[in-house]
PDB file of all heavy atoms in Angstrom:
ATOM      1  N   LEU A 262       2.787  25.844 -18.784  1.00 97.00           N
ATOM      2  CA  LEU A 262       3.281  24.485 -18.728  1.00 97.00           C
ATOM      3  C   LEU A 262       2.133  23.490 -18.746  1.00 97.00           C
ATOM      4  O   LEU A 262       1.126  23.680 -18.054  1.00 97.00           O
ATOM      5  CB  LEU A 262       4.119  24.279 -17.462  1.00 97.00           C
ATOM      6  CG  LEU A 262       5.401  25.126 -17.347  1.00 97.00           C
ATOM      7  CD1 LEU A 262       6.104  24.805 -16.035  1.00 97.00           C
ATOM      8  CD2 LEU A 262       6.320  24.869 -18.510  1.00 97.00           C
ATOM      9  N   PRO A 263       2.260  22.394 -19.499  1.00 97.00           N
ATOM     10  CA  PRO A 263       1.192  21.378 -19.509  1.00 97.00           C
ATOM     11  C   PRO A 263       1.166  20.613 -18.187  1.00 97.00           C
ATOM     12  O   PRO A 263       2.164  20.604 -17.443  1.00 97.00           O
ATOM     13  CB  PRO A 263       1.622  20.460 -20.671  1.00 97.00           C
ATOM     14  CG  PRO A 263       3.099  20.626 -20.767  1.00 97.00           C
ATOM     15  CD  PRO A 263       3.369  22.063 -20.402  1.00 97.00           C
ATOM     16  N   PRO A 264       0.059  19.978 -17.838  1.00 98.00           N
ATOM     17  CA  PRO A 264      -0.081  19.337 -16.533  1.00 98.00           C
ATOM     18  C   PRO A 264       0.940  18.247 -16.263  1.00 98.00           C
ATOM     19  O   PRO A 264       1.346  18.045 -15.109  1.00 98.00           O
ATOM     20  CB  PRO A 264      -1.508  18.781 -16.532  1.00 98.00           C
ATOM     21  CG  PRO A 264      -1.926  18.788 -17.957  1.00 98.00           C
ATOM     22  CD  PRO A 264      -1.198  19.887 -18.622  1.00 98.00           C
ATOM     23  N   GLU A 265       1.400  17.562 -17.297  1.00 98.00           N
ATOM     24  CA  GLU A 265       2.386  16.501 -17.094  1.00 98.00           C
ATOM     25  C   GLU A 265       3.733  17.044 -16.623  1.00 98.00           C
ATOM     26  O   GLU A 265       4.571  16.278 -16.126  1.00 98.00           O
ATOM     27  CB  GLU A 265       2.560  15.663 -18.358  1.00 98.00           C
ATOM     28  CG  GLU A 265       3.021  16.403 -19.573  1.00 98.00           C
ATOM     29  CD  GLU A 265       1.858  16.914 -20.448  1.00 98.00           C
ATOM     30  OE1 GLU A 265       0.733  17.054 -19.924  1.00 98.00           O
ATOM     31  OE2 GLU A 265       2.107  17.119 -21.656  1.00 98.00           O
ATOM     32  N   SER A 266       3.946  18.361 -16.741  1.00 98.00           N
ATOM     33  CA  SER A 266       5.174  18.962 -16.266  1.00 98.00           C
ATOM     34  C   SER A 266       5.344  18.846 -14.769  1.00 98.00           C
ATOM     35  O   SER A 266       6.453  18.989 -14.264  1.00 98.00           O
ATOM     36  CB  SER A 266       5.209  20.447 -16.648  1.00 98.00           C
ATOM     37  OG  SER A 266       5.087  20.643 -18.041  1.00 98.00           O
ATOM     38  N   PHE A 267       4.260  18.569 -14.064  1.00 98.00           N
ATOM     39  CA  PHE A 267       4.295  18.593 -12.610  1.00 98.00           C
ATOM     40  C   PHE A 267       4.217  17.183 -12.004  1.00 98.00           C
ATOM     41  O   PHE A 267       4.053  17.041 -10.789  1.00 98.00           O
ATOM     42  CB  PHE A 267       3.134  19.439 -12.085  1.00 98.00           C
ATOM     43  CG  PHE A 267       3.080  20.811 -12.715  1.00 98.00           C
ATOM     44  CD1 PHE A 267       1.992  21.188 -13.490  1.00 98.00           C
ATOM     45  CD2 PHE A 267       4.117  21.704 -12.547  1.00 98.00           C
ATOM     46  CE1 PHE A 267       1.935  22.454 -14.082  1.00 98.00           C
ATOM     47  CE2 PHE A 267       4.090  22.966 -13.130  1.00 98.00           C
ATOM     48  CZ  PHE A 267       2.993  23.344 -13.892  1.00 98.00           C
ATOM     49  N   ILE A 268       4.391  16.167 -12.825  1.00 98.00           N
ATOM     50  CA  ILE A 268       4.338  14.776 -12.384  1.00 98.00           C
ATOM     51  C   ILE A 268       5.712  14.163 -12.640  1.00 98.00           C
ATOM     52  O   ILE A 268       6.275  14.245 -13.741  1.00 98.00           O
ATOM     53  CB  ILE A 268       3.263  13.984 -13.112  1.00 98.00           C
ATOM     54  CG1 ILE A 268       1.877  14.614 -12.886  1.00 98.00           C
ATOM     55  CG2 ILE A 268       3.250  12.521 -12.666  1.00 98.00           C
ATOM     56  CD1 ILE A 268       0.770  14.002 -13.713  1.00 98.00           C
ATOM     57  N   PHE A 269       6.271  13.487 -11.607  1.00 98.00           N
ATOM     58  CA  PHE A 269       7.633  12.970 -11.663  1.00 98.00           C
ATOM     59  C   PHE A 269       7.634  11.519 -11.216  1.00 98.00           C
ATOM     60  O   PHE A 269       7.139  11.196 -10.138  1.00 98.00           O
ATOM     61  CB  PHE A 269       8.574  13.821 -10.806  1.00 98.00           C
ATOM     62  CG  PHE A 269       8.511  15.287 -11.154  1.00 98.00           C
ATOM     63  CD1 PHE A 269       7.557  16.107 -10.573  1.00 98.00           C
ATOM     64  CD2 PHE A 269       9.384  15.811 -12.106  1.00 98.00           C
ATOM     65  CE1 PHE A 269       7.484  17.455 -10.907  1.00 98.00           C
ATOM     66  CE2 PHE A 269       9.304  17.153 -12.462  1.00 98.00           C
ATOM     67  CZ  PHE A 269       8.369  17.980 -11.842  1.00 98.00           C
ATOM     68  N   ARG A 270       8.228  10.657 -12.045  1.00 98.00           N
ATOM     69  CA  ARG A 270       8.196   9.227 -11.782  1.00 98.00           C
ATOM     70  C   ARG A 270       9.563   8.613 -11.494  1.00 98.00           C
ATOM     71  O   ARG A 270       9.676   7.422 -11.215  1.00 98.00           O
ATOM     72  CB  ARG A 270       7.548   8.503 -12.966  1.00 98.00           C
ATOM     73  CG  ARG A 270       6.070   8.885 -13.183  1.00 98.00           C
ATOM     74  CD  ARG A 270       5.459   8.127 -14.332  1.00 98.00           C
ATOM     75  NE  ARG A 270       4.025   8.377 -14.433  1.00 98.00           N
ATOM     76  CZ  ARG A 270       3.479   9.386 -15.103  1.00 98.00           C
ATOM     77  NH1 ARG A 270       4.256  10.271 -15.723  1.00 98.00           N
ATOM     78  NH2 ARG A 270       2.174   9.537 -15.146  1.00 98.00           N
ATOM     79  N   ARG A 271      10.618   9.433 -11.536  1.00 98.00           N
ATOM     80  CA  ARG A 271      11.958   8.928 -11.258  1.00 98.00           C
ATOM     81  C   ARG A 271      12.707   9.892 -10.316  1.00 98.00           C
ATOM     82  O   ARG A 271      13.737  10.446 -10.656  1.00 98.00           O
ATOM     83  CB  ARG A 271      12.756   8.746 -12.566  1.00 98.00           C
ATOM     84  CG  ARG A 271      12.146   7.720 -13.506  1.00 98.00           C
ATOM     85  CD  ARG A 271      13.038   7.489 -14.729  1.00 98.00           C
ATOM     86  NE  ARG A 271      13.339   8.731 -15.407  1.00 98.00           N
ATOM     87  CZ  ARG A 271      12.542   9.318 -16.292  1.00 98.00           C
ATOM     88  NH1 ARG A 271      11.357   8.810 -16.563  1.00 98.00           N
ATOM     89  NH2 ARG A 271      12.913  10.453 -16.889  1.00 98.00           N
ATOM     90  N   PRO A 272      12.119  10.105  -9.120  1.00 98.00           N
ATOM     91  CA  PRO A 272      12.774  11.014  -8.168  1.00 98.00           C
ATOM     92  C   PRO A 272      13.993  10.369  -7.501  1.00 98.00           C
ATOM     93  O   PRO A 272      14.194   9.146  -7.598  1.00 98.00           O
ATOM     94  CB  PRO A 272      11.663  11.294  -7.147  1.00 98.00           C
ATOM     95  CG  PRO A 272      10.805  10.077  -7.185  1.00 98.00           C
ATOM     96  CD  PRO A 272      10.858   9.573  -8.605  1.00 98.00           C
ATOM     97  N   TYR A 273      14.779  11.210  -6.861  1.00 98.00           N
ATOM     98  CA  TYR A 273      15.947  10.735  -6.122  1.00 98.00           C
ATOM     99  C   TYR A 273      16.138  11.608  -4.895  1.00 98.00           C
ATOM    100  O   TYR A 273      16.147  12.836  -5.003  1.00 98.00           O
ATOM    101  CB  TYR A 273      17.208  10.801  -7.011  1.00 98.00           C
ATOM    102  CG  TYR A 273      18.446  10.226  -6.348  1.00 98.00           C
ATOM    103  CD1 TYR A 273      18.696   8.847  -6.355  1.00 98.00           C
ATOM    104  CD2 TYR A 273      19.377  11.058  -5.729  1.00 98.00           C
ATOM    105  CE1 TYR A 273      19.840   8.323  -5.756  1.00 98.00           C
ATOM    106  CE2 TYR A 273      20.516  10.542  -5.132  1.00 98.00           C
ATOM    107  CZ  TYR A 273      20.733   9.176  -5.154  1.00 98.00           C
ATOM    108  OH  TYR A 273      21.872   8.656  -4.555  1.00 98.00           O
ATOM    109  N   LEU A 274      16.256  10.961  -3.728  1.00 98.00           N
ATOM    110  CA  LEU A 274      16.453  11.681  -2.489  1.00 98.00           C
ATOM    111  C   LEU A 274      17.945  11.722  -2.170  1.00 98.00           C
ATOM    112  O   LEU A 274      18.594  10.674  -1.934  1.00 98.00           O
ATOM    113  CB  LEU A 274      15.706  10.987  -1.346  1.00 98.00           C
ATOM    114  CG  LEU A 274      15.888  11.589   0.051  1.00 98.00           C
ATOM    115  CD1 LEU A 274      15.381  13.039   0.104  1.00 98.00           C
ATOM    116  CD2 LEU A 274      15.149  10.723   1.082  1.00 98.00           C
ATOM    117  N   LEU A 275      18.506  12.922  -2.184  1.00 98.00           N
ATOM    118  CA  LEU A 275      19.923  13.137  -1.894  1.00 98.00           C
ATOM    119  C   LEU A 275      20.055  13.688  -0.494  1.00 98.00           C
ATOM    120  O   LEU A 275      19.625  14.820  -0.211  1.00 98.00           O
ATOM    121  CB  LEU A 275      20.533  14.095  -2.894  1.00 98.00           C
ATOM    122  CG  LEU A 275      21.977  14.553  -2.618  1.00 98.00           C
ATOM    123  CD1 LEU A 275      22.940  13.374  -2.684  1.00 98.00           C
ATOM    124  CD2 LEU A 275      22.403  15.643  -3.608  1.00 98.00           C
ATOM    125  N   ASP A 276      20.618  12.900   0.426  1.00 98.00           N
ATOM    126  CA  ASP A 276      20.882  13.348   1.778  1.00 98.00           C
ATOM    127  C   ASP A 276      22.252  13.991   1.821  1.00 98.00           C
ATOM    128  O   ASP A 276      23.280  13.286   1.727  1.00 98.00           O
ATOM    129  CB  ASP A 276      20.795  12.179   2.772  1.00 98.00           C
ATOM    130  CG  ASP A 276      19.374  11.928   3.242  1.00 98.00           C
ATOM    131  OD1 ASP A 276      18.710  12.870   3.713  1.00 98.00           O
ATOM    132  OD2 ASP A 276      18.895  10.780   3.075  1.00 98.00           O
ATOM    133  N   GLN A 277      22.269  15.292   1.975  1.00 98.00           N
ATOM    134  CA  GLN A 277      23.536  16.017   2.060  1.00 98.00           C
ATOM    135  C   GLN A 277      23.419  17.113   3.105  1.00 98.00           C
ATOM    136  O   GLN A 277      22.874  18.180   2.849  1.00 98.00           O
ATOM    137  CB  GLN A 277      23.908  16.640   0.706  1.00 98.00           C
ATOM    138  CG  GLN A 277      25.219  17.429   0.717  1.00 98.00           C
ATOM    139  CD  GLN A 277      26.382  16.616   1.227  1.00 98.00           C
ATOM    140  OE1 GLN A 277      26.692  15.576   0.644  1.00 98.00           O
ATOM    141  NE2 GLN A 277      27.017  17.064   2.307  1.00 98.00           N
ATOM    142  N   PRO A 278      23.906  16.838   4.332  1.00 98.00           N
ATOM    143  CA  PRO A 278      23.829  17.874   5.389  1.00 98.00           C
ATOM    144  C   PRO A 278      24.511  19.153   4.956  1.00 98.00           C
ATOM    145  O   PRO A 278      25.640  19.128   4.434  1.00 98.00           O
ATOM    146  CB  PRO A 278      24.524  17.206   6.555  1.00 98.00           C
ATOM    147  CG  PRO A 278      24.406  15.747   6.315  1.00 98.00           C
ATOM    148  CD  PRO A 278      24.506  15.585   4.830  1.00 98.00           C
ATOM    149  N   LEU A 279      23.836  20.275   5.181  1.00 98.00           N
ATOM    150  CA  LEU A 279      24.395  21.601   4.855  1.00 98.00           C
ATOM    151  C   LEU A 279      24.125  22.516   6.038  1.00 98.00           C
ATOM    152  O   LEU A 279      22.999  22.592   6.526  1.00 98.00           O
ATOM    153  CB  LEU A 279      23.754  22.167   3.584  1.00 98.00           C
ATOM    154  CG  LEU A 279      23.963  21.424   2.282  1.00 98.00           C
ATOM    155  CD1 LEU A 279      23.081  21.995   1.176  1.00 98.00           C
ATOM    156  CD2 LEU A 279      25.435  21.445   1.857  1.00 98.00           C
ATOM    157  N   GLY A 280      25.143  23.224   6.465  1.00 97.00           N
ATOM    158  CA  GLY A 280      25.009  24.136   7.589  1.00 97.00           C
ATOM    159  C   GLY A 280      24.777  25.554   7.148  1.00 97.00           C
ATOM    160  O   GLY A 280      24.530  25.871   5.984  1.00 97.00           O
ATOM    161  N   ASP A 281      24.889  26.468   8.109  1.00 98.00           N
ATOM    162  CA  ASP A 281      24.673  27.895   7.858  1.00 98.00           C
ATOM    163  C   ASP A 281      25.582  28.387   6.733  1.00 98.00           C
ATOM    164  O   ASP A 281      26.787  28.170   6.734  1.00 98.00           O
ATOM    165  CB  ASP A 281      24.970  28.693   9.108  1.00 98.00           C
ATOM    166  CG  ASP A 281      23.993  28.397  10.245  1.00 98.00           C
ATOM    167  OD1 ASP A 281      23.729  27.191  10.519  1.00 98.00           O
ATOM    168  OD2 ASP A 281      23.506  29.347  10.864  1.00 98.00           O
ATOM    169  N   ASN A 282      24.953  29.075   5.759  1.00 98.00           N
ATOM    170  CA  ASN A 282      25.668  29.789   4.706  1.00 98.00           C
ATOM    171  C   ASN A 282      26.569  28.913   3.839  1.00 98.00           C
ATOM    172  O   ASN A 282      27.479  29.415   3.193  1.00 98.00           O
ATOM    173  CB  ASN A 282      26.549  30.916   5.352  1.00 98.00           C
ATOM    174  CG  ASN A 282      25.759  31.773   6.324  1.00 98.00           C
ATOM    175  OD1 ASN A 282      24.631  32.158   6.054  1.00 98.00           O
ATOM    176  ND2 ASN A 282      26.359  32.069   7.465  1.00 98.00           N
ATOM    177  N   THR A 283      26.293  27.632   3.792  1.00 98.00           N
ATOM    178  CA  THR A 283      27.105  26.710   2.983  1.00 98.00           C
ATOM    179  C   THR A 283      26.393  26.416   1.667  1.00 98.00           C
ATOM    180  O   THR A 283      25.167  26.543   1.546  1.00 98.00           O
ATOM    181  CB  THR A 283      27.388  25.414   3.723  1.00 98.00           C
ATOM    182  OG1 THR A 283      26.150  24.760   4.041  1.00 98.00           O
ATOM    183  CG2 THR A 283      28.177  25.655   4.997  1.00 98.00           C
ATOM    184  N   LEU A 284      27.151  26.031   0.673  1.00 98.00           N
ATOM    185  CA  LEU A 284      26.618  25.748  -0.653  1.00 98.00           C
ATOM    186  C   LEU A 284      26.740  24.264  -0.999  1.00 98.00           C
ATOM    187  O   LEU A 284      27.736  23.627  -0.668  1.00 98.00           O
ATOM    188  CB  LEU A 284      27.369  26.564  -1.721  1.00 98.00           C
ATOM    189  CG  LEU A 284      27.290  28.070  -1.628  1.00 98.00           C
ATOM    190  CD1 LEU A 284      28.069  28.715  -2.769  1.00 98.00           C
ATOM    191  CD2 LEU A 284      25.839  28.560  -1.653  1.00 98.00           C
ATOM    192  N   LEU A 285      25.693  23.760  -1.632  1.00 98.00           N
ATOM    193  CA  LEU A 285      25.792  22.458  -2.285  1.00 98.00           C
ATOM    194  C   LEU A 285      26.691  22.633  -3.493  1.00 98.00           C
ATOM    195  O   LEU A 285      26.412  23.474  -4.358  1.00 98.00           O
ATOM    196  CB  LEU A 285      24.403  21.977  -2.704  1.00 98.00           C
ATOM    197  CG  LEU A 285      24.365  20.604  -3.365  1.00 98.00           C
ATOM    198  CD1 LEU A 285      24.240  19.524  -2.275  1.00 98.00           C
ATOM    199  CD2 LEU A 285      23.219  20.507  -4.368  1.00 98.00           C
ATOM    200  N   THR A 286      27.743  21.842  -3.594  1.00 98.00           N
ATOM    201  CA  THR A 286      28.723  22.028  -4.673  1.00 98.00           C
ATOM    202  C   THR A 286      28.745  20.806  -5.592  1.00 98.00           C
ATOM    203  O   THR A 286      28.087  19.781  -5.340  1.00 98.00           O
ATOM    204  CB  THR A 286      30.123  22.251  -4.088  1.00 98.00           C
ATOM    205  OG1 THR A 286      30.544  21.048  -3.427  1.00 98.00           O
ATOM    206  CG2 THR A 286      30.127  23.428  -3.112  1.00 98.00           C
TER     207      THR A 286
END
Side-chain angles (χ1 to χ4, degrees):
L262 297 179
E265 59 268 23
S266 302
F267 309 116
I268 301 172
F269 305 87
R270 296 182 173 87
R271 297 185 306 278
Y273 184 82
L274 177 61
L275 173 63
D276 275 306
Q277 179 55 60
L279 297 170
D281 294 47
N282 310 317
T283 60
L284 298 180
L285 182 87
T286 66

